[in-house]
Amino acid sequence: MTKISRPIIRYLTAAAAYTCIGLGVLGVFLPVLPTVPFFILATILSFRSSPKLRRWLLRHPQFGETIRNFLRDKSISGRILRRALITLWAGLTISCLLVPHWWLRAMLVSLGGAVTLYLLSLSRIGE
C-alpha cells in the first residue's frame, strides 16, 4: 500500500495509531481496558500512514498472530476467545459490585452481552 498523500491526514492517522498502541499497552495492565482491539485499530490506522508501524504490529511476537487472523478472516483462536470472555466478565462483575446505581449495572451487563455476542460470532481457529 502507498502512503497517504496529504501530510496532515497521514500525521493525524499515525498519531491516532500510536494513541491506540498506548491504550493497548495500558490494557495489558488494566483488566477492564482491552489490548488486542486497540492494536487491531492501530494496525488499520497505520496501513497507509505508517507502514513501519504496521509491519511491527503484524510481526509482534505476542499479538501479531491474533491481529493477522482478525484482519484476514475475522477469526479468533479458542484460547484467546476464552481468555477474552473470562477477562470481560470478571471486569464487569467487579465493576457491577463497585457501581452504586442499578441502571449503570444494567448498562454494563448489556454492553458485556453485546460484546460477548460479537466475540461468539467470529469464526474460530483451533477448535
Side-chain angles (χ1 to χ4, degrees):
M1 288 201 168
T2 60
K3 281 189 174 182
I4 297 172
S5 59
R6 293 185 180 164
I8 188 74
I9 294 172
R10 188 175 67 240
Y11 293 130
L12 288 173
T13 55
Y18 282 106
T19 301
C20 287
I21 289 174
L23 291 169
V25 169
L26 281 175
V28 171
F29 304 104
L30 300 172
V32 295
L33 195 63
T35 300
V36 174
F38 281 118
F39 285 170
I40 290 170
L41 183 56
T43 305
I44 292 167
L45 289 168
S46 68
F47 268 138
R48 293 195 177 171
S49 63
S50 179
K52 183 178 177 181
L53 175 61
R54 183 191 73 234
R55 279 190 304 275
W56 178 78
L57 286 164
L58 291 173
R59 294 177 183 164
H60 192 277
Q62 186 71 24
F63 303 107
E65 182 180 359
T66 303
I67 293 169
R68 288 190 307 271
N69 290 336
F70 182 81
L71 292 176
R72 185 180 56 240
D73 51 19
K74 300 284 189 272
S75 63
I76 188 171
S77 75
R79 181 178 62 86
I80 297 294
L81 175 64
R82 283 186 296 280
R83 186 181 298 170
L85 290 174
I86 289 168
T87 304
L88 169 69
W89 285 102
L92 286 173
T93 301
I94 292 168
S95 297
C96 284
L97 293 172
L98 297 174
V99 170
H101 303 291
W102 68 269
W103 58 272
L104 284 174
R105 288 186 205 124
M107 189 172 70
L108 287 169
V109 171
S110 297
L111 289 171
V115 171
T116 298
L117 289 174
Y118 175 73
L119 289 173
L120 292 174
S121 75
L122 298 174
S123 60
R124 281 179 265 320
I125 300 171
E127 288 191 297

